[in-house]
Structures are given as structure tokens and as C-alpha cells.
């Protein structure tokens, strides 16, 4: 019983707070780079361009998700019990 109490009282191991900025940069880059390529009409001469477009679209989606994960699993500069409780409730409700 003592081990289970220690498990629940142990703080979450989260990423450092600067990962919020890294996640934001990843999201911004994954949105701006395709817009930049499309606005300047940079051609992509590939024999199988439909497959390439789908691959690029999937890479962009995955990088946005990775950026959001960095933001979600990083600490705030000021962590207190209320933010930890809200974070745990949000993670649990997302699993349900």
C-alpha cells in the first residue's frame, strides 16, 4: 500500500519549460514553409507528384502534432498544485 501512495504523490516528469517555445517554433515552421512554397510557386518536379504531395501533407500533420505534444508535456515556468491537477485531469479525460 505504501508503494501506491508514493506513486500517486510523485510529481510528473515533464519536459523543461523551454520546450513550449520549441513546440511553437515547430508548429509555425510546419505551417509557414508550405505557404512559402505555394506562394512563390516553387515547382516540385517529381515523377509521382500526387504521392509526394500526400507525403508532404502527412509530414506537416505529424510535425504539428509533435509541436503540440511538446507544448502539452512541458512544464510551466511557475508550477503549482492547481496546474498539475488540471493537467492530470485533462490527460485522463483525453484517454477516456
Amino acid at each position: 500500500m505504501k508503494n501506491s501512495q508514493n506513486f500517486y504523490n510523485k510529481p510528473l516528469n515533464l519536459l523543461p519549460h523551454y520546450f513550449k517555445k520549441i513546440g511553437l517554433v515547430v508548429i509555425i515552421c510546419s505551417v509557414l514553409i508550405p505557404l512559402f512554397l505555394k506562394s512563390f510557386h516553387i515547382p516540385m518536379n517529381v515523377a509521382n507528384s500526387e504521392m509526394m504531395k500526400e507525403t508532404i501533407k502527412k509530414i506537416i500533420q505529424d510535425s504539428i502534432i509533435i509541436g503540440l505534444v511538446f507544448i502539452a508535456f512541458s512544464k510551466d515556468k511557475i508550477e503549482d498544485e492547481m496546474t498539475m491537477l488540471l493537467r492530470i485531469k485533462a490527460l485522463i479525460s483525453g484517454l477516456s
Side-chain angles (χ1 to χ4, degrees):
M1 191 61 131
K2 187 176 181 182
N3 291 337
S4 65
Q5 287 177 343
N6 288 339
F7 175 75
Y8 291 113
N9 292 333
K10 193 167 118 177
L12 292 175
N13 292 329
L14 299 172
L15 298 170
H17 72 276
Y18 57 83
F19 271 84
K20 284 190 187 285
K21 294 177 184 173
I22 293 172
L24 191 60
V25 168
V26 168
I27 292 171
I28 290 172
C29 287
S30 63
V31 170
L32 289 182
I33 289 173
L35 290 176
F36 175 76
L37 294 175
K38 189 148 184 124
S39 67
F40 288 109
H41 305 291
I42 297 174
M44 293 202 288
N45 296 330
V46 179
N48 201 355
S49 70
E50 283 300 317
M51 190 169 100
M52 185 64 133
K53 285 182 184 178
E54 289 298 318
T55 304
I56 291 172
K57 188 183 215 181
K58 193 68 169 165
I59 290 171
I60 291 168
Q61 289 173 348
D62 290 346
S63 62
I64 289 173
I65 290 172
I66 289 171
L68 290 173
V69 166
F70 279 170
I71 292 171
F73 290 108
S74 61
K75 293 181 184 178
D76 290 333
K77 282 189 178 181
I78 301 172
E79 283 286 328
D80 59 354
E81 293 82 18
M82 187 63 176
T83 57
M84 293 299 279
L85 181 65
L86 289 173
R87 187 184 307 268
I88 290 171
K89 281 184 180 181
L91 290 174
I92 290 172
S93 69
L95 296 175
S96 303

